[in-house]
Amino acid sequence: MTKIHRPAPSHAVSFRQILRHETSAAHEAGEAQFSQFFAAPEQKLGWFLAAQAAGLGVLARHAAPGALCAGLLSDLLDRLDRDLARLGRPVHPVPAPDAEQGLLDPLAVDYLVLGSRLGTQVIDRKVFAETPAEAKPLYFQAPAAGALWKRHCATLDALRPAEPRATRIVADATRGFHLFAQAVQAQGAGTPSDALAPALASNSIDHPRPARIATDTNLTPKEPT
């Protein structure tokens, strides 16, 4: 039998594409949890903010040092703390970290946090399109993460899919999505008190709190040149 030689594809599949494909099921399952917020954003705002605080908080506790998003994540959690304090909305306890599984690779944490931030910006444009900036929750007033996301994507694209670290990042990103989902589930289904409160109309920025996750000073985010 004559062997058929198929031409090689003109473009190799990047690790970033592989990561997106391999984590798509966990990602979509996590997003489905927020359907109640998208259906009634004003009524479920407190629940949404508590879910974000719990999810991002559990990622911060599981993150290995060196994540590009460290400063951003600390700022987001600080903003969520202040928003929830104004609403009087508690964050319910989440499952304790599993020490045996180890910490999440910093690139996996970057993928989750920076991707989440981009998604939140889309929500902001849809839900708060006609809301004055100063009347929005502080969480939605956080700086854009586009520059950090571009740097992160370049790092992922530079990884070879066959590298052992690439396999670990896929596993850790998948685990991170599941951890986030568990934290969201712990917040319950939301209550009438989760509606947008007038107290959020006078947001004042106070002093930032200490960083929530370990950072590597050699990885301080810089704008791309």
Side-chain angles (χ1 to χ4, degrees):
M1 179 182 293
T2 304
K3 185 177 181 179
I4 299 177
H5 296 277
R6 301 182 183 278
S10 57
H11 298 286
V13 177
S14 70
F15 172 63
R16 179 159 56 102
Q17 292 173 302
I18 293 173
L19 177 60
R20 180 177 181 179
H21 177 266
E22 293 297 320
T23 61
S24 61
H27 187 181
E28 290 170 4
E31 284 193 340
Q33 292 181 294
F34 291 101
S35 59
Q36 62 169 306
F37 171 71
F38 299 133
E42 292 189 0
Q43 288 71 36
K44 298 293 185 178
L45 179 64
W47 174 86
F48 175 83
L49 294 172
Q52 293 297 315
L56 293 176
V58 79
L59 292 181
R61 292 194 295 276
H62 284 74
L68 186 66
C69 70
L72 172 66
L73 180 53
S74 179
D75 178 57
L76 292 175
L77 288 169
D78 183 59
R79 289 169 181 272
L80 286 163
D81 281 350
R82 285 177 274 168
D83 284 336
L84 291 167
R86 289 186 177 92
L87 286 172
R89 213 297 184 181
V91 177
H92 300 302
V94 299
D98 185 350
E100 293 184 0
Q101 290 189 311
L103 297 176
L104 298 172
D105 187 287
L107 281 178
V109 176
D110 285 335
Y111 185 71
L112 296 165
V113 174
L114 296 176
S116 173
R117 180 63 196 142
L118 295 178
T120 301
Q121 290 173 247
V122 174
I123 296 172
D124 179 27
R125 290 194 292 270
K126 292 182 177 180
V127 176
F128 296 103
E130 299 180 2
T131 303
E134 65 275 9
K136 298 178 184 180
L138 293 172
Y139 179 62
F140 287 97
Q141 297 182 44
L148 289 178
W149 176 252
K150 288 181 180 178
R151 287 185 60 191
H152 171 63
C153 289
T155 302
L156 292 180
D157 288 338
L159 281 175
R160 292 183 293 107
E163 290 183 43
R165 188 184 183 188
T167 301
R168 185 170 70 252
I169 290 170
V170 170
D172 283 357
T174 301
R175 182 159 66 98
F177 276 121
H178 291 318
L179 288 169
F180 199 107
Q182 291 173 12
V184 173
Q185 291 171 7
Q187 306 318 303
T191 66
S193 63
D194 284 326
L196 178 61
L200 286 174
S202 58
N203 286 320
S204 60
I205 303 293
D206 51 21
H207 295 291
R209 303 176 188 180
R212 304 296 190 98
I213 66 175
T215 59
D216 183 336
T217 55
N218 294 323
L219 292 174
T220 301
K222 299 178 181 178
E223 293 295 323
T225 57

